[in-house]
């Protein structure tokens, strides 16, 4: 198995996230295991870092490998291809998929790494694969605006947990304007409405109880200059709405949470109350940001990439954010990594099956010869385990 990565050895660290987050802990463990295998079984597993795949090679409907650039030179790698090059939520260059399919989002900043330029989507469409739902691009409501660099094209994501623990979103009048726990597209939509009303900037405000629960987050964001601690009076001054207006927002919110008032935006779940002007707060500026692309390459349930006749290419699999149509029109928080794991495993199984079938059907000229290339090992110390090994022309590499 040959793994080509355009990045460094470590997996993508979510901007603002690290190994304290379960998803990252899992990713690091998987990467570590893979790196161990490159050392213990270098004939089976190789990783080439900083290699950029530039095209998918095929003969008829069968994919034969990839072409890639490495150290300023062009190389090819032959074999079955499993592509997992991610989404296009940072595709700001020439031939941008965002510009083509969602020009309205092209001017936004992104939470993604600079690698999320839709290379895989473009290479696969080049050979006749289908892009589906390409206009389904998720705009996350809470990108952290750095006061020192407010127009930065790449922004940190404010974790969902901040609103989950009772963070309020306030406009430039110090008023709420949404159910803070609504879906990402809804909250982003409400923020755009405030912009039209000239009520930006938007601030996310955590009271002291929520700040304590989110201690790791608030320290992390504060350390990067993206969040500030302040008193209620300082907050009213910073917003410029006056203390009375801010107090009214907090009193109304407490009454809504107590069931004494109805929330105009239908919020139903409340945490870390009450809000009081006499409290301390952690505060950050927020802007909607490009976050995820639901659109991508059409695959079937075996993670096989489909051609324009809706038939699978042979020896070509796609998974992860590259694959379109997995999450519908607007993905729910937390489900991308689930999709990566599910379709990653499906793609791996399908690729192994493909190689095994090819070995059995075409790896040698006669059945007798093929049988000679395959050896079965039954280890009495591990009952139920059978190992199959083979050699010969059919034992192609996975790329
Ligand atoms: C800030 C942030 C927080 C998130 N939090 C969550 C969360 O909590 N839960 C959740 O489920 N999802 C979350 N997501 C979404 C999730 O992280 C991504 O959808 C997921 O990581 C995509 O994985 P992937 O392997 O498909 O692509 P990626 O992780 O984007 O990896 C693609 C890899 O392919 C490489 N590559 C690209 N083009 C080429 C090329 N031409 N040649 C060689 N290599 C190439 C890239 O360098 C990269 O290493 C978050 C996303 C972001 C940005």
């Amino acid at each position: 198995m040959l793994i080509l990565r355009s990045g460094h050895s470590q997996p993508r660290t979510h901007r603002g996230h690290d190994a304290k987050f379960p998803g990252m802990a899992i990713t690091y463990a998987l990467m570590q295991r893979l790196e161990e295998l490159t050392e213990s079984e270098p004939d089976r597993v190789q990783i080439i870092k900083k290699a950029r795949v530039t095209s998918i090679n095929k003969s008829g409907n069968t994919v034969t490998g990839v072409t890639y650039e490495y150290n300023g030179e062009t190389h090819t790698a032959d074999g079955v291809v499993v592509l997992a090059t991610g989404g296009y939520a940072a595709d700001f260059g020439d031939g941008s998929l965002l510009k083509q399919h969602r020009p309205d989002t092209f001017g936004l900043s992104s939470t993604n790494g600079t690698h999320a330029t839709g290379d895989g989507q473009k290479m696969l469409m080049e050979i006749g694969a289908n892009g589906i739902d390409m206009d389904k691009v998720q705009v996350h409501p809470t990108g952290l605006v750095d006061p020192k660099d407010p127009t930065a094209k790449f922004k940190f994501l404010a974790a969902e947990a901040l609103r989950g623990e009772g963070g309020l979103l306030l406009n430039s009048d110090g008023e709420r304007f949404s159910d803070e726990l609504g879906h990402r597209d809804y909250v982003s939509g409400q923020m755009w409405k405030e912009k039209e009303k000239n009520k930006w900037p938007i601030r996310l405000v955590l009271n002291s109880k929520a700040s304590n629960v989110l201690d790791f987050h608030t320290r992390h964001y504060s350390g990067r200059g993206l969040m500030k601690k302040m008193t209620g009076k300082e907050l009213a001054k910073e917003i410029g709405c006056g203390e009375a207006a801010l107090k009214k927002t907090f009193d109304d919110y407490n009454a809504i949470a107590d069931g004494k008032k109805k929330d105009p935006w239908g919020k139903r779940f409340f945490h870390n109350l009450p809000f009081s002007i006499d409290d301390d707060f952690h505060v950050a500026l927020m802007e909607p940001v490009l976050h995820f692309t639901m659109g991508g390459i059409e695959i079937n349930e075996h993670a096989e990439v489909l051609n324009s006749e809706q038939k699978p290419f042979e020896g070509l699999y796609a998974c992860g954010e590259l694959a379109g149509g997995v999450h519908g029109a607007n993905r729910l928080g937390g489900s991308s990594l689930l999709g990566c794991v599910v379709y990653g495993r499906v793609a791996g199984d399908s690729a192994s099956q493909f190689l095994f079938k090819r070995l059995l059907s075409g790896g040698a000229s006669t059945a007798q010869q093929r049988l000679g290339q395959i050896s079965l090992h039954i280890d009495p110390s591990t009952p139920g385990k059978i190992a199959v090994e083979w050699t010969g022309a059919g034992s192609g590499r996975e790329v």
Side-chain angles (χ1 to χ4, degrees), residues 336-357:
S336 169
L337 296 177
L338 188 62
C340 289
V341 170
V342 170
Y343 279 100
R345 293 185 69 153
V346 171
D349 281 350
S350 298
S352 312
Q353 271 180 34
F354 175 81
L355 281 170
F356 200 63
K357 270 192 206 148

Side-chain angles (χ1 to χ4, degrees), residues 125-262:
M125 286 195 258
E126 187 75 18
I127 62 160
N130 312 306
I132 52 167
D133 296 344
M134 294 298 285
D135 61 332
K136 303 290 182 285
V137 171
Q138 183 171 80
V139 175
H140 197 292
T142 58
L144 285 150
V145 179
D146 184 345
K148 288 193 251 39
D149 191 8
T151 56
K153 203 64 183 154
F154 293 91
K155 289 188 163 55
F156 279 85
L157 178 76
E160 226 85 54
L162 275 64
R163 283 177 291 137
E165 289 295 344
L168 295 184
L169 291 170
L170 302 183
N171 66 17
S172 61
D173 288 339
E175 293 165 341
R176 290 178 59 233
F177 53 86
S178 65
D179 169 2
E180 290 84 354
L181 298 181
H183 285 182
R184 292 169 179 179
D185 56 345
Y186 156 79
V187 180
S188 295
Q190 293 296 100
M191 287 169 85
W192 292 128
K193 285 185 198 163
E194 294 306 295
K195 184 162 196 184
E196 277 165 25
K197 290 189 241 161
N198 220 5
K199 291 194 176 183
W200 274 28
I202 303 299
R203 287 177 175 82
L204 180 106
V205 177
L206 299 170
N207 67 8
S208 60
K209 275 193 191 170
S211 299
N212 285 341
V213 177
L214 296 163
D215 181 54
F216 169 74
H217 293 257
T218 53
R219 275 193 289 126
H220 177 79
Y221 299 134
S222 302
R224 292 178 180 274
L226 300 169
M227 192 169 246
K228 274 199 298 190
K229 191 176 177 188
M230 59 185 79
T231 64
K233 287 184 192 350
E234 287 164 341
L235 174 59
K237 196 168 166 206
E238 171 149 319
I239 297 174
C241 62
E243 285 175 41
L246 190 60
K247 184 173 180 317
K248 180 175 181 320
T249 296
F250 290 164
D251 290 347
D252 283 350
Y253 185 67
N254 293 334
I256 288 165
D258 280 348
K260 293 177 188 146
K261 264 190 163 183
K262 200 168 179 289

